[in-house]
Each structure stands twice: as C-alpha cells, then as structure tokens.
C-alpha cells in the first residue's frame, strides 16, 4: 500500500488524509508553458530576472502557477522567486483567484519635468476616460524622455508630448510596440573606421599608455561619481582574475536622458569603448545592464550585438545584455550587480568595493554608457577631442540633459565649465512669459538652486561649496510660475517610491519627509533633524542625497516653506 494512502498520514486540520505535501502544487500545464518559454537556456540562478521577463511578456502577469513552475525548473525555492519578482515594479505578481491586470497598461511619467508639463492632469483624464477593465493607468517614475514631456508608455510604445487624443488613437491602432529610430548600424560604423582601434589594441596595444591617454584627456566617470576613468582600470587589473566588466545603463535619475541619446544614434561608439575597456582589464564577460524603460535601445543593442558576433569581433555570449525591471536603486553599482546576479537590487555594504568583489564575487570594472562612449572617441581621435575645450577654468565636454521651462529641451553637448545661463541659452532661452527662478543641476539628488547662483560652472567639484553636485548633469529649469516647494515634494515622493527598503533611515525617512512636506508650513527644525539622520545613517547614496531637495529649498526659498 502506498504511504500516502495510509490512515493518519499527512492529516489536515479536518482530520482527512492528505494526498500531497503542503504548499502550492506543480501544475503540469504551467510547467510545460514555462519550459517552452525557457527553451534551451541555461537554468542558472543569475538568469531569474530574464526568465521573469519572459513570463511577464508572454502572459501579461506572473501567476502563482507559473512562479511555482519556474521554481521547479530552476530548482530554487518559491520564496526566492517571489521576493525578487515583487521587488521590481515591472512585474505583476498575481496570486490564486486574484484578478489579472488588463491586457494593456499605460504608465504616465510623474517626474518633475513631466509634472511641469501637466502629467497629473493627463493621468486623471486617462483614468476617467478609459475603461479600467481594458486599460490600466499607472503613474511611473522618469522614463528618460524629459525633453518631450509629458510622456507615457503605452505597452512598450512611448508617446511623446502625450495628450488624451494621441493615446486614444494609438490604442485604436494597437500601436503598443517600441519605435526603433534611425541609427548608425554595424556596417555604417565599420565603414567609417569603426573597431579599427579595437583590433589594433587587441593586437599590440599598451594598456598603460591608453590609461595615461584617458587621464590626460581628463575623462571621469560620467554617471555621477566623477572618478578618473583610467585609474579605475588599474584597481581592477591589480586583482586576480577572472574579471568582469559591467555597464551601468540604468539611467534612472529623473531628468537624465543622455545615455539614451547616444545609444539611439551611435550605439557602436559605446560598444567599441566597452570592448576596449574590457580588453584592458581582461574581462571574461561584458554585462550590459539596460533599463526596461528603454525598449528601443534594448532592441538596437540586441541587433548590433548579434552583428558583432557574426563579424567575429566577439564570441557569442561574450556580451551579456541584461534587462532591468523598473528599480531606480539599480543605478547604484552594487545594487546593479545584485540584479545582474538575479537578486533584489539591494546595495551592498562597502568595503569591499566592486573592483575587488563584484559580479559573482569577482573583480568587476563598472562604467557608465557615456563614459565608454568617450573612451572610444578619445581612443580614435586623441585626448584633445575631450580636453581641448576649456571654459571657466574647466576642461572637457559634458552631455547636459536639459528640460523644463526652456524653448529647446534636449541633450546639449557643452563645455564642462558652462553655467546655467549658458545652458539656458543653448536650449533656446526661457519659454515666452516665463522668468528664470530656479534649477536642478544634476537630478533630484542635487536639489534646487536659485537663479541668483547663475555664475557657477556646472562641473565636478564646483558645486560642492553650495552643498550640491553635478551628478548626471540632468538640468531641469523652473520659472516664476513654478513652486520650489512643490518641486521638492515631487523629488521626495520619487525617493519614497524608489527606496529599496533595506535601511530604516532611508525607508522610513523618505516617508516621514513626504508627510512633513505636505504641511502648509514646514516644521524646519524637525525636517533638518530628519535630514541629518538620513544623510548620516543611510547605506547608499539614495538616502544620503534625498535630503538635498529639502535643505536647499529651506535655504534658498524660505518664503515658500
């Protein structure tokens, strides 16, 4: 007699014999569907997020049955899968008997630039005017299209300068797929001398000489940290192999879209820079972590990585493209590495630094997209292409993402020593009827500065005396028709939504700050005490920089708070 048929074995609370172990049972149909989606792909733990994307894309949500099947297929616990799936905003976990989301989702950007352009009214109009059983309308953080605000994502199609009528027309036309812009493909880039420097460097290149060239050019990390790029290579090379390279393409700082600008036009300039850096540190694999909000960029990279493989410049699988899932915190390099490993994007404690203990606990070189773009430019044209430009005592060039109350928002390549006056002039000046009031120099992490500080060069090290920084060079311009108090609240709501929750000062601090900032008059003494706790005790840069909008608004716009 079978064990499970014996009386008294595996009894439930009702006293009846149990035929199965406790917990969710494996459904054969769901298991078959998951196996079909995964195909011959390796069942590695670090591929978990990629496989969650496959299920989400195929079925529009992650059912409990599919998560159980995925756990069976990957031989890991359901708890591990559940904690990862629920961490990321772009996964919809649906439990048994719960309603599934509508077939179509609209994500309306609520970042500062889009809010200034009327995103709240647009979201309300869509919520009121569309059938909620057919279309789900959500607010979402910055999509990297601040120059065309307000923007939204319909399925995977971004609608710029969005209106209700535009959205309705796109729904009726079933226009829900990303639009791929014209760009320089592999053939065009190669015909223009592309990858020749990579081939030469691999054949007889001098790594030390190239590092000296980058240092001479003055190239620093352009993701926000500003660390000298060439020097970073030495730290990674000093560690025993195997080594990896990781590209931080999770351009999630609201107001930032410079990486998207370059990738949608010249993806191979970035790819060649990446491969040069990878050869310099003898990286075994290049991981490109690209944000899910850039579906067109992801498709471009898939195509061009395949072209590189077919050309023989890289072995199949040497470039591993990973897709983010809607988590701003993964822009922090150690959180990005956790996500690449298929985990929640929780920042690591440091030391050790990722140059010593990175992906799979191996030394890892982490670079931003724009930094690698300039590695290729400098390698091809010499350091003078970068350092020959000088302004206000600063050398180099900077890609400024400019949005807000200007006539020509967009990515503007300007001297690194440019002031906000230079940037506004490059963007065509202020909108008619608007007077310059304030600006965000480097994303919400940098807070707000008043128009009176209009002569400060926006570069590394120049803004620290004013208790802010250049960050990702995401400049948002405010006018006399905008409220600095409301802008600061927008920034803190973003941090509240995007805090990973790992540490209490950030998790609870952002929430408490938002509540305090909604008062008619701010309790400035209490807010300052909260800011001190957050900046001193938070694990990573999110919680440490989140107080900046509060402190700078209290300092420069006291009449509003």
């Amino acid at each position: 007699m079978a064990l499970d048929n014996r009386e008294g074995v595996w009894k439930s609370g009702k006293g009846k014999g149990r035929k199965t172990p406790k917990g969710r049972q494996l459904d054969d149909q769901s298991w078959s569907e998951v196996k079909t989606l995964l195909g011959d792909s390796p069942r590695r733990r670090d591929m978990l997020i990629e496989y969650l994307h496959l299920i989400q894309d195929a079925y529009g949500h992650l059912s409990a049955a599919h998560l159980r099947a995925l756990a069976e297929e990957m031989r890991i616990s359901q708890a591990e899968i559940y904690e990862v799936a629920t961490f990321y905003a772009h996964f919809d976990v649906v439990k048994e008997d719960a309603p599934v989301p509508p077939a179509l989702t609209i994500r309306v950007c609520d970042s500062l630039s889009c809010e200034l352009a009327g995103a709240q009214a647009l979201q309300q109009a869509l919520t009121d005017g569309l059938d909620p059983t057919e279309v789900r309308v959500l607010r979402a953080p910055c999509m990297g299209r601040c120059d065309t605000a307000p923007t939204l994502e319909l399925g995977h199609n971004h609608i710029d300068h969005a209106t209700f009528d535009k959205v309705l027309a796109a729904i009726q036309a079933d226009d829900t797929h990303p639009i791929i812009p014209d760009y320089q493909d592999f053939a065009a880039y190669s015909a223009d001398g592309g990858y020749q420097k990579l081939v030469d460097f691999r054949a007889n290149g001098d790594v030390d000489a190239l590092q000296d060239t980058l240092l001479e050019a003055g190239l620093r990390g352009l993701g926000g940290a500003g660390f000298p790029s060439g020097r970073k290579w030495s730290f990674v090379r000093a560690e025993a192999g195997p080594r990896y390279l990781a590209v931080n393409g999770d351009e999630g700082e609201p107001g930032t879209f410079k990486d998207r600008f370059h990738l949608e036009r010249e993806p191979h300039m970035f790819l060649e820079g990446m491969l040069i850096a990878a050869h310099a540190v003898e990286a075994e694999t290049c991981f490109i972590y690209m944000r899910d909000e850039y579906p067109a960029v992801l498709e471009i990279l898939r195509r061009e990585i395949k072209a590189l493989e077919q050309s023989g410049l890289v072995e199949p699988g040497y470039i591993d493209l990973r897709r983010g899932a809607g988590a701003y915190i993964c822009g922090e390099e150690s959180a990005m590495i956790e996500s690449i490993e298929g985990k929640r994007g929780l920042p690591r404690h440091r030391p050790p630094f990722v140059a010593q203990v990175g992906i799979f606990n191996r030394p890892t070189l982490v670079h931003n997209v724009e930094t690698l773009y300039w590695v290729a430019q400098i390698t091809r044209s010499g350091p003078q292409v970068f350092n020959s430009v000088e302004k206000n005592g600063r050398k180099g060039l900077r890609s400024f993402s400019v949005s807000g109350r200007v006539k020509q928002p967009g990515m503007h390549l300007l001297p690194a020593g440019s002031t906000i006056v230079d940037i506004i002039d490059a963007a065509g000046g202020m909108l008619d009827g608007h007077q310059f009031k304030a600006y965000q120099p480097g994303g919400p992490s940098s807070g707000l500065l008043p128009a009176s500080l209009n002569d400060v060069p926006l570069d590394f090290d120049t803004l620290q005396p004013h208790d802010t920084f250049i960050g990702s060079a995401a400049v948002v311009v405010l006018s006399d028709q905008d409220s600095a108090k409301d802008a600061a609240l927008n920034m803190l709501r973003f941090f509240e939504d995007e805090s990973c929750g790992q540490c209490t000062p950030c998790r609870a601090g952002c929430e408490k700050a938002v509540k305090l900032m909604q008062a008619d008059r701010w309790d400035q003494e209490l807010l300052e005490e909260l800011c001190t706790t957050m900046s001193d005790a938070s694990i990573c840069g999110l919680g440490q920089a989140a107080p900046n909008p509060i402190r700078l608004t209290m300092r420069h716009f006291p009449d509003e708070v």
Side-chain angles (χ1 to χ4, degrees), residues 346-406:
L346 301 180
R348 297 175 179 177
H349 290 273
R350 290 175 286 187
F353 297 95
V354 299
Q356 303 163 303
V357 181
I359 297 173
F360 309 135
N361 294 324
R362 302 308 309 166
T364 303
L365 176 65
V366 178
H367 270 314
N368 162 264
V369 170
E370 189 193 1
T371 306
L372 293 171
Y373 174 90
W374 282 110
V375 167
Q377 288 275 26
I378 292 166
T379 304
R380 293 182 65 175
S381 305
Q384 65 276 5
V385 73
F386 195 77
N387 67 10
S388 63
V389 180
E390 183 173 354
K391 183 162 187 170
N392 292 326
R394 313 296 299 182
K395 289 186 177 182
L397 293 165
R398 179 56 68 96
S399 300
F400 289 98
S401 305
V402 187
S403 60
R405 306 298 193 182
V406 292

Side-chain angles (χ1 to χ4, degrees), residues 114-325:
C114 285
E115 184 173 297
L116 295 178
Q120 288 187 5
L122 175 62
Q123 182 185 347
Q124 190 61 51
L126 292 169
T127 302
D128 295 341
L130 297 175
D131 184 352
T133 63
E134 296 183 359
V135 182
R136 177 176 58 161
V137 180
L138 305 174
R139 67 181 184 89
C142 185
M143 299 175 185
R145 309 183 78 86
C146 317
D147 53 332
T148 56
T151 192
L152 58 79
E153 190 177 25
L154 177 67
H156 288 299
N157 176 29
H158 285 100
I159 298 179
D160 298 328
H161 302 297
T163 64
F164 182 86
D165 291 340
K166 278 187 179 181
V167 174
L168 196 60
I171 293 174
Q172 292 170 348
D174 194 28
D175 191 4
T176 60
H177 301 290
I179 298 171
I180 310 301
D182 293 331
Y183 65 91
Q184 186 183 42
D185 63 10
F186 176 75
Y189 184 75
S190 299
D192 192 35
Y195 293 107
Q196 189 56 54
K197 288 294 184 182
L198 172 65
V199 172
D200 293 344
F201 184 55
R202 284 175 171 176
N204 48 28
D206 184 336
V207 177
D208 292 328
L210 179 54
Q211 285 186 214
D212 290 341
T213 299
L214 296 178
L215 291 170
E216 180 186 350
L219 182 64
R220 298 170 67 170
L222 297 172
F227 194 82
S229 300
R231 197 168 299 153
K232 186 186 289 189
W233 295 8
S234 298
F235 295 152
V236 177
R237 290 171 62 202
E239 300 292 327
R243 310 181 189 95
Y244 296 107
L245 181 144
V247 177
N248 191 339
D250 199 68
E251 187 178 49
E253 189 75 18
T256 315
F257 47 90
K258 58 186 178 62
D259 291 352
R260 178 180 65 83
F261 179 91
H262 291 302
L263 291 171
E264 288 184 347
R265 289 161 178 79
E266 299 177 278
H268 284 282
M269 189 67 75
F270 148 71
L271 287 169
E272 183 172 15
M274 178 191 73
L275 292 173
I276 288 170
H279 183 74
V281 299
E282 300 175 0
E284 291 202 353
T285 304
C286 296
F287 293 91
I288 302 177
Y289 189 87
M290 188 55 55
R291 66 187 312 222
D292 197 34
E293 290 85 350
Y294 289 175
V297 169
L298 282 161
E299 179 57 28
I300 288 170
L301 289 175
R302 289 188 194 102
R303 294 178 184 179
E304 300 313 309
I305 290 170
K306 184 177 181 180
L308 277 171
E309 292 174 348
Q310 292 173 343
S311 73
L313 279 170
V314 298
E315 293 292 326
Y318 180 72
I319 302 175
D320 193 341
L321 178 61
R322 297 297 180 92
R323 180 177 164 193

Side-chain angles (χ1 to χ4, degrees), residues 45-85:
R45 175 65 178 78
D46 64 285
M47 296 297 290
L48 174 58
I49 293 173
E50 296 299 307
Y51 297 156
L52 290 171
H53 273 304
L54 289 177
I55 300 172
Q56 176 79 33
D57 291 345
Y59 296 98
H61 64 282
L62 303 175
S63 69
H66 281 138
L67 293 183
R68 171 67 181 87
L70 185 60
E72 182 75 18
E73 192 66 15
M74 296 189 70
R75 312 305 299 169
I76 58 178
S77 71
Q78 293 179 69
E80 282 185 82
I81 292 180
Y82 184 80
E83 73 172 10
V84 172

